[in-house]
């Protein structure tokens, strides 16, 4: 499995954990809610869905009136298909095994979760992720970007005399993009820590469990929009 297809499978499982959807709705959510998938087409999405169904993580169900489906198979009856004259729309639903698999993926904090596209997908589902996992992913991403920034600065120092003004400006733009994301990550990490400390010092907080749906780590006020980790100039 390629890294790109693995990210798509992760995002599909995450969206279907929220609610069952048909293919068109899934594609629209991928494009509008998860901008990193704006280039995906039906030709990419449906093979992914078929793979997830074959793995037992999704099931296909016909949309529409349950009375128009066969009682045992759950498939549209011949009568209903002939009356409508069109193929029944398929809805994809997460299975118990699929939910368990997605939760396992959410717990991963290795280097893959820090890379540009994978980090963007992981961040999109931080509302379903445990706080400690969020912290490890954020800190890993920051460490990766700090390493990248150091290399970019060293490269620029070696080559600046040989670069024309436009190439030099492009290099500076790339560095500024990385620096901006590092500042954003610092803000998120500090907010996560502050939220955790507030709960530990609160009498009520000591009796509460940290659930995956908490969003207390988000800063309350941010004027800047989050950086796009898939921005090519930041690589």
């Amino acid at each position: 499995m390629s890294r790109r297809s693995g990210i798509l499978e992760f995002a599909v499982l995450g969206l279907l954990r929220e609610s069952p959807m048909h293919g068109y709705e899934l594609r629209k959510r991928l494009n509008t809610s998860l901008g990193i998938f704006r280039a995906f087409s039906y030709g990419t999405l449906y093979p992914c869905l078929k793979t997830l169904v074959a793995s037992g993580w999704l099931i296909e169900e016909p949309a529409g009136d349950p009375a128009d489906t066969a009682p045992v198979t759950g498939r549209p009856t011949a009568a209903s298909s002939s009356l409508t004259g069109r193929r029944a729309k398929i809805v994809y639903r997460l299975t118990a095994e699929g939910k368990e698999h997605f939760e396992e993926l959410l717990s991963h904090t290795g280097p893959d979760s820090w890379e540009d596209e994978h980090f963007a997908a992981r961040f999109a589902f931080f509302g379903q992720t445990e706080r400690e996992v969020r912290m490890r992913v954020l800190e890993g991403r920051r460490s990766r970007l700090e390493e990248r920034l150091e290399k970019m600065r060293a490269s620029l120092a070696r080559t600046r005399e040989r670069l024309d003004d436009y190439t030099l400006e492009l290099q500076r733009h790339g560095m500024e993009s990385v620096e901006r994301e590092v500042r954003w990550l610092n803000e998120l990490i500090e907010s996560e820590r502050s939220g955790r400390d507030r709960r530990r010092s609160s009498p009520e907080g000591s009796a509460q469990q940290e659930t995956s749906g908490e969003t207390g780590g988000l800063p309350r006020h941010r004027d800047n929009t989050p950086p796009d980790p898939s921005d090519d100039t930041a690589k």
Side-chain angles (χ1 to χ4, degrees), residues 155-216:
S155 175
L156 184 60
R158 289 193 308 268
T159 61
R160 75 165 51 243
E161 299 300 328
R162 302 194 299 270
L163 299 177
D164 62 61
D165 290 344
Y166 294 101
T167 305
L168 184 61
E169 192 61 32
L170 185 62
Q171 294 290 323
R172 286 173 177 163
H173 174 65
M175 286 178 54
E176 289 171 359
S177 297
V178 178
E179 289 168 345
R180 177 170 172 256
E181 187 174 347
V182 169
R183 290 193 298 269
W184 175 63
L185 289 166
N186 285 336
E187 186 179 354
L188 288 170
I189 290 169
E190 182 58 33
S191 295
E192 291 280 358
R193 287 174 176 162
S194 298
R196 179 176 58 189
D197 292 341
R198 282 197 301 270
R199 274 188 305 280
R200 285 179 175 175
S201 62
S202 170
E204 294 84 2
S206 60
Q208 294 178 349
Q209 277 191 323
E210 290 186 348
T211 62
S212 61
E214 292 173 343
T215 55

Side-chain angles (χ1 to χ4, degrees), residues 57-184:
W57 297 328
L58 301 182
I59 57 173
E60 297 175 323
E61 297 178 339
D65 187 353
D68 292 336
T69 60
V72 176
T73 64
R75 299 181 180 275
T77 63
S80 66
S81 298
S82 60
L83 286 174
T84 60
R86 56 189 174 86
R87 194 174 170 185
K89 187 177 293 184
I90 298 298
V91 170
Y92 296 89
R93 183 185 298 275
L94 197 65
T95 64
E97 292 80 5
K99 181 180 179 181
E100 183 178 346
H101 178 63
F102 179 69
E103 290 173 351
E104 180 185 349
L105 294 176
L106 278 181
S107 69
H108 291 176
T109 60
D112 279 352
S113 65
W114 313 337
E115 299 299 339
D116 293 339
E117 290 182 345
H118 207 156
F119 173 75
R122 288 298 304 270
F123 190 81
F125 294 99
F126 261 24
Q128 303 182 39
T129 305
E130 295 291 341
R131 183 174 301 277
E132 294 303 320
V133 174
R134 293 199 301 260
M135 281 290 294
R136 288 195 293 271
V137 173
L138 290 172
E139 289 171 344
R141 174 66 176 174
R142 180 177 63 180
S143 176
R144 178 58 51 85
L145 289 183
E146 287 172 341
E147 293 174 2
R148 183 183 301 173
L149 193 56
E150 184 177 348
K151 292 178 181 178
M152 293 173 75
R153 286 170 176 160
S155 175
L156 184 60
R158 289 193 308 268
T159 61
R160 75 165 51 243
E161 299 300 328
R162 302 194 299 270
L163 299 177
D164 62 61
D165 290 344
Y166 294 101
T167 305
L168 184 61
E169 192 61 32
L170 185 62
Q171 294 290 323
R172 286 173 177 163
H173 174 65
M175 286 178 54
E176 289 171 359
S177 297
V178 178
E179 289 168 345
R180 177 170 172 256
E181 187 174 347
V182 169
R183 290 193 298 269
W184 175 63

